[in-house]
Amino acid sequence: MAESDKPGFLGRLFGREAETSADMRRHTGASESEGAPDLTTAAAAGELPAVEPSVASASPETRADEKPPVELKGADLQPVEGRDPEGGGPKEPIPRAEPEPAGPAKANWWGRLTEGLRRTSSSLSESVTSLFTKRKLDAATIEDLEDALVQADLGVATAARIAEAVGHGRYDKEISPDEVRRILADEVEKALAQAAQPLAIDRAKKPFVILMTGVNGAGKTTTIGKLAQKFRGQGMKVTLAAGDTFRAAAIEQLKVWGERTGAPVITRPQGSDAAGLAYDALAEAKAHGADVLLIDTAGRLQNKAGLMSELEKIVRVLKKLDESAPHATLLVLDATVGQNAVSQVELFRKSAGVTGLVMTKLDGTARGGILVALAAKFGLPVHFIGVGEGVEDLEPFAARDFARAIAGLDQAA
């Protein structure tokens, strides 16, 4: 083959067609970018619309010269693993606007709950079986059981009480693994009985203001959408406030939930003052006669003083319009975080006056035993638990069902 017939670089990379196309452009004098819009020229000619600058609304407490703390800039994610706030880290999924295609029937609530607690129940069942199969009860066995319960995140106090109940009157006797599981379920149910309280909406307060708090990725925004749908199903008029103003995705996510539930969503441009938005949302909800106002907030680390003070500011601003608001402050906890949940409850309760808990992501990888420890330590109501992304996957908390699932027992008595 003659030297002139050898394909050039474009020919070798893309084939002869690409080289031929390039040759035609060289012969005709056409630019490779011909046909592409010249944005610079268009802008200069006034063919593109002018972009209005976003102006963040401020709360009544915010001075004109006040700037948000440095910690708040981009502080929309919980940097558990040192990830970039916008680039990575846990995200709450945008809900589907259309129903999912029909598939196999989903398991009922009990089935989903037992699957969600599978990690904890399997670990406990293995420990109980190995400890109590053809073995007489002694002090060493009780101590080993207590260790297994602590490792399952049930808490030291609860573990000690369960171990004591198992050993009562049974020393030097054999006890079957099934009997130990029944005792475990009974004691866990006792520990959780006071915590299993429904979220009561006082219809005399219009609107009943619910402030949602928690670290990012716990499922706050998704939980708000599910609650909105439940309240709407009960005939209540619901308004949503996109108070996570640091993250555009959270605002868009709440808008989708608003469309799905028929609830208006109060929003402001990304970067706006969250306290100012909360103030405006309460004013608008009052004006439109809403029964419930659900306010989303930005995810924040519980050990960041600047972020937690911003949450306190939201509470103060709401009280300027309604001294009793917020009427409920819910802390959404990710069930996979284990003992870190204890610190979250301590500090969010101090800053925002948490009145109840919602535990999400009981999905089989969760460390569900931590809920028992939280109930014993703080005595806060647990209103809901979630095992998935669907509305039907968030249900009121029932102590008996949870206790039997974590002990690996059937739902039947």
Side-chain angles (χ1 to χ4, degrees):
M1 182 168 59
E3 188 72 25
S4 60
D5 294 332
K6 289 183 180 180
F9 175 74
L10 287 175
R12 294 195 302 274
L13 187 60
F14 300 107
R16 299 291 298 183
E17 254 184 67
E19 187 178 23
T20 303
S21 176
D23 288 338
M24 289 179 64
R25 286 195 299 269
R26 284 196 298 270
H27 285 102
T28 60
S31 166
E32 292 189 15
S33 62
E34 187 171 348
D38 184 346
L39 298 179
T40 305
T41 305
E47 297 173 10
L48 292 180
V51 179
E52 293 293 333
S54 297
V55 179
S57 71
S59 75
E61 290 191 354
T62 307
R63 301 190 307 272
D65 60 344
E66 182 179 346
K67 295 181 180 180
V70 174
E71 286 178 296
L72 292 176
K73 294 184 178 179
D76 54 320
L77 296 180
Q78 180 197 10
V80 177
E81 300 175 7
R83 301 175 182 174
D84 178 76
E86 283 298 327
K91 302 281 190 191
E92 297 171 21
I94 299 283
R96 296 175 182 268
E98 299 296 332
E100 296 185 19
K106 292 190 70 171
N108 61 19
W109 171 250
W110 172 254
R112 298 197 298 277
L113 177 61
T114 53
E115 176 60 23
L117 290 170
R118 176 171 48 81
R119 174 178 174 179
T120 302
S121 62
S122 296
S123 174
L124 286 174
S125 291
E126 290 173 6
S127 298
V128 167
T129 300
S130 64
L131 286 172
F132 295 96
T133 299
K134 297 181 180 179
R135 179 177 174 181
K136 288 186 177 181
L137 198 62
D138 55 21
T141 307
I142 291 296
E143 186 176 336
D144 289 342
L145 173 62
E146 190 170 342
D147 289 344
L149 296 173
V150 171
Q151 290 172 18
D153 290 323
L154 270 69
V156 174
T158 303
R161 188 172 64 253
I162 293 172
E164 182 181 356
V166 169
H168 183 69
R170 298 183 177 88
Y171 274 93
D172 293 325
K173 298 178 182 179
E174 286 190 5
I175 178 172
S176 71
D178 285 343
E179 187 176 354
V180 175
R181 291 188 190 97
R182 286 194 293 271
I183 295 171
L184 169 61
D186 289 344
E187 292 300 320
V188 168
E189 183 178 354
K190 289 178 185 176
L192 295 173
Q194 295 299 316
Q197 299 179 29
L199 176 61
I201 304 298
D202 186 348
R203 301 295 290 268
K205 301 182 186 300
K206 290 180 70 74
F208 187 88
V209 181
I210 303 175
L211 184 66
M212 305 295 291
T213 66
V215 300
N216 193 77
K220 293 185 303 301
T221 309
T222 300
T223 300
I224 287 174
K226 295 176 183 179
L227 290 177
Q229 192 146 328
K230 288 181 181 296
F231 294 149
R232 290 280 291 163
Q234 296 169 15
M236 298 185 199
K237 189 175 180 180
V238 180
T239 296
L240 309 180
D244 185 352
T245 56
F246 299 110
R247 190 160 59 98
I251 299 173
E252 293 304 315
Q253 183 184 3
L254 205 62
K255 286 181 179 178
V256 174
W257 275 113
E259 292 172 2
R260 290 182 64 180
T261 60
V265 182
I266 310 301
T267 67
R268 294 293 181 268
Q270 183 181 3
S272 296
D273 178 46
L277 180 140
Y279 183 92
D280 293 345
L282 179 52
E284 292 190 39
K286 278 179 173 289
H288 291 91
D291 296 304
V292 178
L293 170 63
L294 286 156
I295 304 176
D296 196 6
T297 60
R300 61 199 74 227
L301 277 173
Q302 71 271 18
N303 60 355
K304 294 291 186 181
L307 301 180
M308 298 305 283
S309 65
E310 187 72 9
L311 192 56
E312 293 171 7
K313 179 181 174 182
I314 293 174
V315 173
R316 291 197 308 271
V317 166
L318 288 172
K319 292 185 180 300
K320 291 181 180 294
L321 282 177
D322 184 343
E323 181 58 36
S324 63
H327 306 110
T329 300
L330 304 187
L331 175 60
V332 181
L333 296 167
D334 181 340
T336 64
V337 302
Q339 287 296 321
N340 186 262
V342 175
S343 171
Q344 291 181 30
V345 175
E346 284 178 339
L347 295 174
F348 275 96
R349 189 181 187 185
K350 180 180 177 181
S351 294
V354 171
T355 61
L357 305 177
V358 178
M359 179 159 279
T360 65
K361 303 186 182 180
L362 286 165
D363 61 358
T365 63
R367 300 161 68 178
I370 191 61
L371 191 57
V372 183
L374 294 174
K377 183 176 179 63
F378 298 104
L380 284 170
V382 181
H383 297 307
F384 295 93
I385 55 174
V387 298
E389 296 303 329
V391 172
E392 71 280 2
D393 293 327
L394 183 75
E395 289 292 330
F397 177 64
R400 184 179 184 278
D401 287 350
F402 189 92
R404 296 187 71 80
I406 209 171
L409 299 179
D410 294 333
Q411 187 178 23

